[in-house]
Amino acid sequence: MEPMTGEWWTDWEEEDPLFRQLRLTVRQTLRDSGGSPKQAWDALTDVGAWDFGVPLDRGGLELGHAVVSMLCEEVGCSTQPLPLLGTLVTLDLLSASSTHPGLLDQVRTGELPVPIPGRLPGLAGCLSTGLEWRADPAGGRGLLSGTAGPFSVGVQPGALLLLTETGQGPEASLVTLPATGVELRELADRGGGPTASAVLTDVRVSEESVLLRGHEAEQALARVGLRVAVYQAALLTGLAAATLTAVVERIRSRQQFGQSLVKHQAPRLRVAGLLARLDAIRWAVADAAKSLDKGALGSSDAAGLLALTAETALDVTREAVHLHGASGLARDSVVASCYRRVAWEALRGGRPTLLWETAAGTY
């Protein structure tokens, strides 16, 4: 067996040199950011990360989904609890609309971090966020109530992207904070970074806060749902990679029977098996992102990818806790933190069992 090094599963010799350099730039930016989520957010803003997927005609870089997926993977590897997916979805929706140029500029410059409470957009554009919409008796657009979460709040949200089903179809609204009737309820941080749920009580949604509605929103959310499946899979892959990095460092430094654990065959074989599974999902995510760039990724393929990645990330992080020993259960350990984060991130795109049914065409 070859020596286990971090470079084995973090370096990709097959990548295009320019893509490789961009990956290293993002990785180094996150490492040099100072350690706090806010510093990581500001560092990513400084390198123009929020413009990676914005179309050229909206002033962005339009680097493609493979680059955005790489960004999600590297953020996962850094274990920073950033409102990444919500911000990317918001940028996508705002880029598809010409009615909110000011909001687009605010989000892309990092001024307005935007999480999505609860579930991410589904592959069929369907919504299941835990929020209930009803008509506003006072004549406004509508009222929203309910509780949705968890979502990362390592960076203070500037707005919430609320996805709901109305009497006229789906609707995407951007509610800036603070807002009347919106309470961000922080959950106990037992590892995985600060998280919160959003409690909404008759939140009035104005016409100005609606990004898309009806058929237009349905089409946009179906498109976004396909992309988000790949982005979420990349994020989970990064979290699994961070977990295994910590495990390899641990078994190198821990002594048993007079020698390092890395010299014993049993832990070496277990780690090798986990590395093989991690390598498999990394290739699957990379291939899916390239297919997405070509417009050749179907919803069944995306569902299978997300199901595979979610199950693998859960298995890898769970096994890593055992390999790490009792210290892996400590709240401030990387493996415990990643496991708790993966435990809820893996479900934001839907339960793997249902995703497998979608992939098989039986749901």
Side-chain angles (χ1 to χ4, degrees):
M1 183 182 296
E2 294 294 326
M4 290 181 293
T5 66
E7 298 304 307
W8 188 4
W9 64 87
T10 58
D11 282 4
W12 286 54
E13 295 179 359
E14 297 83 356
E15 284 182 336
D16 174 88
L18 291 178
F19 189 96
R20 172 72 179 152
Q21 187 58 49
L22 185 56
R23 179 188 288 277
L24 291 175
T25 299
V26 172
R27 185 179 299 172
Q28 196 62 44
T29 295
L30 288 166
R31 287 178 178 174
D32 295 344
S33 63
S36 76
K38 181 63 169 65
Q39 289 170 317
W41 181 269
D42 292 340
L44 289 174
T45 301
D46 289 341
V47 299
W50 315 126
D51 274 332
F52 285 177
V54 176
L56 291 172
D57 60 3
R58 302 307 303 272
L61 299 174
E62 200 172 342
L63 298 180
H65 301 297
V67 170
V68 179
S69 297
M70 175 274 293
L71 171 67
C72 295
E73 182 184 345
E74 293 300 325
V75 171
C77 284
S78 72
T79 69
Q80 292 286 6
L82 306 179
L84 180 66
L85 272 296
T87 299
L88 293 176
V89 170
T90 302
L91 286 169
D92 194 305
L93 295 177
L94 287 171
S95 298
S97 170
S98 59
T99 58
H100 299 82
L103 282 176
L104 177 61
D105 290 338
Q106 279 187 285
V107 177
R108 65 196 290 186
T109 56
E111 298 175 33
L112 207 65
V114 186
I116 298 178
R119 285 281 301 275
L120 298 169
L123 286 166
C126 58
L127 307 172
S128 178
T129 59
L131 301 178
E132 179 184 352
W133 182 93
R134 61 186 179 88
D136 185 357
R141 173 61 196 163
L143 298 174
L144 287 176
S145 297
T147 301
F151 54 93
S152 294
V153 287
V155 177
Q156 183 66 30
L160 295 178
L161 181 62
L162 303 177
L163 308 175
T164 54
E165 290 283 1
T166 73
Q168 292 78 41
E171 184 173 280
S173 305
L174 195 66
V175 176
T176 55
L177 300 176
T180 303
V182 179
E183 177 190 357
L184 295 186
R185 189 171 295 169
E186 286 199 28
L187 306 177
D189 183 6
R190 305 191 186 282
T195 57
S197 61
V199 181
L200 278 63
T201 306
D202 289 339
V203 176
R204 182 166 281 103
V205 178
S206 65
E207 288 288 343
E208 293 75 19
S209 64
V210 176
L211 305 183
L212 298 166
R213 66 162 63 96
H215 182 63
E216 187 182 12
E218 187 175 359
Q219 289 184 313
L221 290 173
R223 181 192 70 243
V224 168
L226 198 64
R227 298 174 180 182
V228 166
V230 179
Y231 298 164
Q232 181 72 347
L235 179 69
L236 291 168
T237 300
L239 287 167
T243 308
L244 285 181
T245 301
V247 168
V248 171
E249 292 175 356
R250 175 66 175 173
I251 67 173
R252 280 177 171 170
S253 61
R254 188 177 177 186
Q255 297 286 320
Q256 192 173 66
F257 303 118
Q259 59 180 350
S260 172
L261 267 182
V262 77
K263 301 293 185 180
H264 293 274
Q265 188 178 46
R268 282 166 64 90
L269 289 174
R270 289 172 71 183
V271 171
L274 295 178
L275 289 174
R277 296 186 67 183
L278 173 63
D279 203 35
I281 60 174
R282 290 195 74 202
W283 279 112
V285 170
D287 288 344
K290 292 175 183 176
S291 297
L292 197 57
D293 280 326
K294 298 174 183 176
L297 185 71
S299 58
S300 60
D301 295 327
L305 171 73
L306 188 53
L308 174 66
T309 308
E311 288 184 346
T312 302
L314 285 167
D315 290 345
V316 166
T317 51
R318 186 186 301 115
E319 183 71 9
V321 171
H322 290 288
L323 281 165
H324 214 66
S327 61
L329 300 174
R331 174 180 165 183
D332 58 350
S333 74
V334 173
V335 292
S337 179
C338 287
Y339 176 68
R340 293 186 176 101
R341 173 90 177 272
V342 167
W344 61 265
E345 285 280 10
L347 299 178
R348 293 195 77 195
R351 293 185 179 277
T353 51
L354 295 180
L355 290 170
W356 281 124
E357 292 179 0
T358 301
T362 59
Y363 184 73

